[in-house]
Amino acid sequence: MGKARLKLPEDIAKFVEIENCDDFDLDKYFKTQTQIDIINDIQKNGERCKELAEFGVQYVNTTLLYGPTGTGKTTFVRFVAHTLEKDFAYVNFSSLMEDGFGNTERNLKKVFRYMTALDCVFMIDEIDCIATSRTASTNDTLKSITITLMQELDYCKTHAPKAIILAATNVVDNLDPALLSRFSIKKEIPLLNNEEKLGFVCKYMNSMDVPYDVDQVREYIARNSRVTQRIMEQDIIRALISWLDNSKEGFVTLSAYQNY
Ligand SMILES: Nc1ncnc2c1ncn2[C@@H]1O[C@H](COP(=O)(O)OP(=O)(O)OP(=O)(O)O)[C@@H](O)[C@H]1O
Ligand SMILES: [Mg+2]
């Protein structure tokens, strides 16, 4: 991995992982049309923010990605950073959580203000860990943290952030509608369709230059309609191990660890 363009002070670095994505493995990465569209939207939105500011309209480039676990949300944001040639700054929401009155809110505010002022792709991952519906939640602390996150998104409106801000969650239905409404772009990252799954597996296999049978991959996909990229990747690695155990005899043959 190359050296990150940005250097963070210690009190921020303990919460934020920063990566240079110049070496992102494009050979293995399968892009969908949805993903290309999202990147275009993010880029267009960045330009619109500046134009709208001239009309006195405050609009912020914030995107919420949602979808089942393993569909590639976090990996996609790395790909965004690679495409836009910016550092990938990653904070998992749970790392901000700290016991003691107001500590989590203070961490969130500090990290958010510092990071959004930098030229980077800033990802706040797994926001579902705090952002349960205010009305459904009985926990005052969670409510207060959710409110802080909303305040920080509002703060951005008046302080033109340099960062491109993306958040991700598995469970959009449980999110507070007031929080949801603060994101300019909301996009689902769904399961791949069968054609895309085939494209994903073939790209992965080709990148390793190993022998495989496309019809066998088609069968695997037809039998396991709910597989995500994470599961397919695990099945590919298991298949690769068996092939190596077999002294590289025959094809790398996919079989599901369980039926999906
Ligand atoms: N488009 C893709 N091309 C190649 N590999 C991918 C792609 N998308 C995801 N992967 C691989 O699948 C795995 C799971 O992806 P990732 O962790 O990004 O999913 P996620 O949606 O963030 O999951 P979670 O909701 O559990 O955080 C990763 O190891 C990644 O390498
Ligand atoms: Mg993730």
Side-chain angles (χ1 to χ4, degrees), residues 73-74 125-126 230:
K73 297 177 292 298
T74 308
D125 209 358
E126 319 216 348
R230 179 174 293 130

Side-chain angles (χ1 to χ4, degrees), residues 53-188:
E54 288 169 21
F55 293 96
V57 174
Q58 296 153 348
Y59 189 65
V60 190
N61 205 356
T62 48
T63 303
L64 177 69
L65 304 174
Y66 60 93
T69 178
T71 51
K73 297 177 292 298
T74 308
T75 310
F76 170 63
V77 182
R78 279 201 175 84
F79 175 64
V80 173
H82 169 85
T83 307
L84 304 182
E85 300 180 352
K86 294 181 192 296
D87 276 349
F88 170 70
Y90 177 89
V91 58
N92 191 312
F93 217 107
S94 55
S95 76
L96 301 170
M97 304 288 226
E98 185 182 327
D99 286 344
F101 181 77
N103 283 343
T104 305
E105 290 87 332
R106 251 190 305 279
N107 292 342
L108 170 57
K109 191 170 162 181
K110 187 167 71 179
V111 165
F112 203 92
R113 296 221 173 162
Y114 192 90
M115 293 312 302
T116 54
L118 298 179
D119 184 19
C120 65
V121 171
F122 177 44
M123 177 173 203
I124 322 166
D125 209 358
E126 319 216 348
I127 59 167
D128 35 307
C129 87
I130 55 118
T132 44
S133 165
R134 271 181 297 165
T135 44
S137 166
T138 51
N139 185 330
D140 283 347
T141 313
L142 289 185
K143 285 183 210 168
S144 156
I145 299 167
T146 308
I147 289 168
T148 306
L149 178 54
M150 296 197 290
Q151 284 168 344
E152 289 312 301
L153 288 164
D154 287 344
Y155 169 87
C156 284
K157 281 189 165 183
T158 48
H159 290 80
K162 281 214 189 98
I164 291 168
I165 303 162
L166 289 107
T169 175
N170 293 142
V171 280
V172 77
D173 293 343
N174 286 348
L175 285 191
D176 189 326
L179 176 61
L180 274 181
S181 68
R182 280 168 166 81
F183 288 94
S184 314
I185 305 176
K186 292 171 269 287
K187 291 280 181 188
E188 184 177 9

Side-chain angles (χ1 to χ4, degrees), residues 207-219:
S207 78
M208 301 185 295
D209 201 16
V210 292
Y212 65 99
D213 173 4
V214 179
D215 287 333
Q216 196 276 318
V217 177
R218 273 205 187 88
E219 259 170 53

